[in-house]
Structure formats: structure tokens, C-alpha cells
């Protein structure tokens, strides 16, 4: 029979093992999200540049493509470093923090699981917003107006630093409004959508189902929150000067585009297809890596 000292030692060892398991599990989600983001950015960056030009200037797809052709092949991947850094870190946080927040909340709160996980998703999305400076610099590097002002990511960061820390966070409000709700919908609907697909029995069919599930969700959410990204792009394309509110910038764009909802969604069709591919790659890569680790 164990004495009290042996029981204490055994409990201590068990707690240490449990703590280690939690850390390993969380690490898997962070790492898988990180790798999924790198794969996605490398594949979809040119499409993102075309979309950005449409969001910022309201031009047609054909005209946006012509702008990129005029910029030349040398500038095609110009500005890839900020989204590579931002997306890899953001998705690592998105998946990792969601799992961590869910675990903590589920063990301490007695609310329904769906509500608890939704709160965890919103918290993860809100935390991601601290990486706004990367989105900020990405916007500047993709805008042809600044091609002669700076040539790389680090120069863009230095230019912004001259205007103070606040300059890095232009467009923070639309990012907050986008991240929390989109995360809650993504994690909340991912399971039900996958259950509606034909049952997967092999790694290949699992990969296909994960691609379809992520792609459909990404396309839907990308379309739903498209106007927020339009406002964000406009706010972040400015260096220095007045910090205009979200509502003021939105109204300015609304008036410029003849008060037509269709004009506000110009470029949304391309964003739909890009998101379909992008989030398909992200979700499939993430789930694939989780099974391997």
C-alpha cells in the first residue's frame, strides 16, 4: 500500500505528464496553422494583388491585371514578405489560440459548448489584430503609388515609424470587426459542413473533404466581410495626416461609388474564387499536418 508521500509523488508526476501533453497538443495546432499559411501565401499571392487593386481603386479585373503586367514580373511578388510573416503568424495564432482558449473556457465555464467555442474564436481573432502593422505594410507595398517611395518591407516600416506607433495601426477597427465574427463562423460551421459531405475513408478523400469544407467557408466569409476589407484598404493606403474614423471612410467610399452596393462589392467575385482556393489549401494542409504530427 502506498503511503501519503508516494501518493503525492505520483500525483506530481501525473500533473507534469498532463501539462506536457497539453503543451504538445497546442504546439501541433500552432505549427500546423503556420505551415498552412506559408503554403497558401506562396500559391495565391498574385491573385491577392489583383484583388487589392480592385478594392483600392474600384477598377475591373482586366484593368487590375494590366496594372500588374505593366509593373512587370520583377514586381509580381513585391510585398510578399509582410503577408508571409503576417499570415503565418496569424494562422498559427488563429488555430492555436482557438484550441487553447477553448480548452481553458470549457474547463472553467459551464455555458453551452457552442457558445464557449464561439467566444474562444472571437478572442483568438481579437488577439490576431495585434499583427495589424503587417497588413498595413502589405497594403503600401502593393499600391503602385509607393513603388518609388520604398522598395522593401523594412523601408516601409521605417517610413511609418517616422509618424509614430499609431501609424502602424491605421485600419485597426475594420480588422477587429472582421476577425472576431469571421473566426466564430469559421470554427462554428467547419464541423457541420464536413458532416454534410460524403464520408471519407482514405487520406485522399479526407484531404478533398477538408479542401471543400475550408474553401466553401472561406469563400462565403470572404464575400460577407468584403466591404470591411475595402474600407481597410482605403484607410491603410494613407501615410500621415488625419486619422479618419471607420464610418467616415466608409461614407466617402459609398459616395464615390454612386451609393451602389454592387460597386462596393467590386472585386468580390475574384475574392470569392481566391478565398475558395486559399482557405481550401489552408484547411486541407492544416488537417493533414495534424494527422501527421
Amino acid at each position: 500500500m502506498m503511503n501519503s508521500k508516494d501518493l503525492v509523488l505520483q500525483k506530481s508526476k501525473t500533473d507534469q505528464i498532463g501539462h506536457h501533453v497539453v503543451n504538445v497538443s497546442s504546439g501541433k495546432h500552432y505549427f500546423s496553422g503556420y505551415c498552412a499559411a506559408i503554403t497558401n501565401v506562396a500559391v495565391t499571392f498574385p491573385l491577392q494583388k489583383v484583388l487589392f487593386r480592385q478594392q483600392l481603386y474600384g477598377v475591373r479585373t482586366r484593368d487590375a491585371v494590366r496594372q500588374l503586367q505593366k509593373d512587370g514580373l520583377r514586381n509580381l511578388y513585391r510585398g510578399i514578405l509582410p503577408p508571409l510573416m503576417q499570415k503565418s503568424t496569424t494562422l498559427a495564432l488563429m488555430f492555436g489560440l482557438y484550441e487553447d482558449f477553448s480548452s481553458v473556457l470549457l474547463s472553467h465555464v459551464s455555458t453551452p459548448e457552442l457558445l464557449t467555442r464561439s467566444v474562444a474564436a472571437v478572442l483568438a481573432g481579437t488577439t490576431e489584430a495585434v499583427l495589424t502593422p503587417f497588413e498595413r505594410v502589405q497594403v503600401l507595398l502593393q499600391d503602385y503609388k509607393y513603388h518609388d517611395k520604398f522598395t522593401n518591407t523594412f523601408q516601409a516600416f521605417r517610413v511609418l515609424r517616422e509618424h509614430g506607433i499609431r501609424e502602424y495601426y491605421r485600419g485597426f477597427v475594420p480588422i477587429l470587426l472582421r476577425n472576431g465574427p469571421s473566426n466564430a463562423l469559421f470554427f462554428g460551421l467547419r464541423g457541420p459542413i464536413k458532416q454534410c459531405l460524403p464520408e471519407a475513408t482514405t487520406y485522399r478523400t479526407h484531404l478533398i473533404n477538408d479542401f471543400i469544407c475550408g474553401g466553401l467557408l472561406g469563400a462565403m466569409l470572404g464575400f460577407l466581410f468584403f466591404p470591411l476589407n475595402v474600407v481597410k484598404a482605403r484607410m491603410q493606403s494613407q501615410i500621415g495626416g488625419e486619422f479618419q474614423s471607420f464610418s467616415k471612410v466608409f461614407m466617402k467610399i459609398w459616395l464615390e461609388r454612386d451609393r451602389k452596393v454592387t460597386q462596393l462589392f467590386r472585386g468580390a467575385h475574384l475574392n470569392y474564387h481566391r478565398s475558395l482556393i486559399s482557405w481550401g489549401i489552408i484547411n486541407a494542409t492544416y488537417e493533414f499536418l495534424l494527422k501527421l504530427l
Side-chain angles (χ1 to χ4, degrees), residues 135-203:
E135 286 197 53
R136 173 84 165 100
V137 170
Q138 179 187 349
V139 166
L140 297 177
L141 288 172
Q142 290 182 354
D143 189 348
Y144 72 88
K145 292 188 302 183
Y146 297 108
H147 279 188
D148 297 329
K149 192 172 182 65
F150 32 73
T151 58
N152 57 56
T153 300
F154 302 105
Q155 283 185 358
F157 271 110
R158 279 200 296 271
V159 169
L160 291 178
R161 188 175 60 186
E162 295 172 4
H163 298 272
I165 295 296
R166 191 182 177 195
E167 191 68 35
Y168 289 116
Y169 284 87
R170 279 189 191 269
F172 186 69
V173 171
I175 289 174
L176 273 182
L177 293 174
R178 178 197 67 192
N179 283 8
S182 64
N183 270 16
L185 289 170
F186 178 81
F187 287 113
L189 296 175
R190 193 169 53 149
I193 289 177
K194 190 172 181 180
Q195 288 175 0
C196 294
L197 298 174
E199 185 179 356
T201 54
T202 64
Y203 271 114

Side-chain angles (χ1 to χ4, degrees), residues 224-270:
L224 183 63
F225 292 97
F226 189 81
L228 287 176
N229 284 326
V230 171
V231 177
K232 179 191 79 75
R234 176 65 66 86
M235 294 175 78
Q236 293 186 329
S237 65
Q238 177 184 341
I239 299 178
E242 179 189 357
F243 278 81
Q244 297 181 335
S245 66
F246 172 83
S247 58
K248 187 174 182 178
V249 175
F250 176 81
M251 286 307 300
K252 186 177 180 181
I253 295 171
W254 177 250
L255 293 173
E256 285 177 358
R257 302 192 182 184
D258 301 324
R259 301 182 181 183
K260 294 180 179 178
V261 175
T262 53
Q263 295 280 29
L264 201 59
F265 278 85
R266 176 165 282 181
H269 69 289
L270 181 61

Side-chain angles (χ1 to χ4, degrees), residues 46-65:
L47 277 176
Q48 173 60 33
K49 290 197 80 168
V50 173
L51 172 64
F52 168 77
R53 297 289 174 88
Q54 290 189 280
Q55 288 178 334
L56 187 57
Y57 300 114
V59 297
R60 297 181 183 278
T61 303
R62 182 175 50 192
D63 297 324
V65 171

Side-chain angles (χ1 to χ4, degrees), residues 30 92-102 120 123-124 127-128:
Y30 286 105
L93 290 175
M94 173 182 164
F95 287 107
L97 287 177
Y98 169 71
E99 293 297 331
D100 284 347
F101 281 135
S102 294
L123 288 174
T127 306
E128 292 169 42

